[in-house]
Amino acid sequence: QRLEKSLQQKENQLLSPMKKDDLKLLNNKYQLLLDESTKEDPKIAYVLPPVDQIHNLIDVGLSTARYSVPNSLQSTSWLDAHGFCMDNMRMGRSTIPQAGMGAFAVRSMPEGSIVATTPVVTLYQDLLKVAKESKNRDVNDLQLLINYCFGHPNTTLLMFPYSSTIHFINHGATNTNDQAGNDSTSTNAMLRWSHSEYHASELLEKSLQEMQELQKTGLMIDIVATRNISIGEEILIDYGNDWVEKWDEHLVHWEECSNDNVPSPSALMRLNNDQSSILRTRSEQNSMPYPSHVQTVCYFSKHHDYDDSEGILRWQFTTTTEMYPCSILARESFRNDQSQLDKSDTHLYMVHVIIDDSTDAYVVNVPRYGIFFAEKAYQSNQLLKCGFRRFISLADDMVPESWKKQ
């Protein structure tokens, strides 16, 4: 009630001084904001309400988030009954050697409690196949995304979880225990279909074809503690016997490709971290090339109004996140107040931007921060032919018979 009263007061404050002309002026300004924003990024149109709905935006205190989700504010009693705790885990360095990052308990959780709940998107494996367009390198057949999906050897259906920290949960051993009875690398959680009211359990009755044709899903999975979990303990689940067999097989054959000419991600990081470096032009790269697996890319918006002089565009600052391959044709140096202080030159570049097979642009006055290094297509070490690819296996009793391959 206090919240509703506060919002009503804000609405009165906003609307009371507004006369008809003032509201018309506000509408015009808002329409201008929409036009300019969507010109830079058309996706913004899906976030901001249309101008004829601006009165509804005022009703919720000029909050576009609350306009989009009108029931976003709920009481604590409602949250206790219908909500999910999303902060039981944090990301950290895994206790398992060479496992990378892991998920760790933020608080103590007793056996049987829900560590996390995640909705899942249903996919079928063919969607994750890599297009065979590489001419210079034999690449992996499957995208890396499959490693983060739940699946089963007897079905082509995959489920991708989308919830905070879920993807950091690593595989734990199922048969190791120390003297205390809780080895740090043994499983302490398991997967099950959620008991939540939001879990669309009726989908478990559908056929494999019906599931593959679904455009959205309502399935949810719980991660449940199988024993008492202490604060700071790493959350580990069993990825399944099928996953373990594939991993052991991968380790046997890994030595066969570990000595190949594997692209180094550290080289890319060094190039991008050194923003003070002078970039080499295309002609200079003939005698001093960059690593063969990297290319220069430039920030460039197809929707921006650039100054056009004789077919050459003058670069302007933009908030776009669009980046396209570009070649550095030339550079010129100048000094500003800051560069005089640090005794270094500042450079602007002329670049040739390749937007697609039929569209390109020549752009001048591109600053160093408008140019980055990126891996060339199919040159990422994520696409190594011998890279590991396998989904996390669901228990047999979680997979309906109607989903299994006949």
Side-chain angles (χ1 to χ4, degrees), residues 40-185:
E40 188 70 33
D41 187 352
K43 294 189 293 292
I44 292 178
Y46 296 101
V47 180
L48 297 177
V51 68
D52 60 352
Q53 293 294 315
I54 193 172
H55 60 282
N56 292 331
L57 188 60
I58 293 174
D59 289 345
V60 292
L62 298 179
S63 168
T64 56
R66 287 205 55 226
Y67 168 82
S68 302
V69 190
N71 297 324
S72 57
L73 293 179
Q74 299 290 349
S75 66
T76 54
S77 59
W78 186 95
L79 291 173
D80 288 337
H82 306 282
F84 304 97
C85 185
M86 301 300 293
D87 64 347
N88 280 335
M89 298 184 295
R90 63 169 177 82
M91 179 186 69
R93 180 64 61 181
S94 177
T95 58
I96 300 174
Q98 300 180 342
M101 307 304 291
F104 293 82
V106 171
R107 54 182 61 86
S108 295
M109 289 172 278
E111 180 180 350
S113 62
I114 297 177
V115 178
T117 295
T118 177
V120 293
V121 175
T122 52
L123 308 166
Y124 57 97
Q125 291 190 30
D126 284 350
L127 287 176
L128 298 185
K129 288 185 177 179
V130 174
K132 293 294 186 179
E133 297 177 359
S134 176
K135 297 179 180 178
N136 302 318
R137 189 173 175 213
D138 194 13
V139 298
N140 205 299
D141 293 331
L142 291 167
Q143 296 180 40
L144 184 63
L145 184 69
I146 196 172
N147 288 4
Y148 299 91
C149 291
F150 301 127
H152 190 274
N154 292 335
T155 182
T156 56
L157 196 66
L158 297 172
M159 279 148 283
F160 177 74
Y162 57 103
S163 185
S164 58
T165 322
I166 294 293
H167 301 113
F168 295 102
I169 299 178
N170 286 314
H171 168 72
T174 58
N175 57 358
T176 59
N177 286 289
D178 59 16
Q179 293 179 352
N182 290 326
D183 187 87
S184 61
T185 60

Side-chain angles (χ1 to χ4, degrees), residues 29 60 94 98 128 158 161 295 313 326 343 347:
K29 288 184 175 180
V60 292
S94 177
Q98 300 180 342
L128 298 185
L158 297 172
Q295 63 181 337
L313 308 181
C326 61
K343 307 299 182 183
H347 293 81

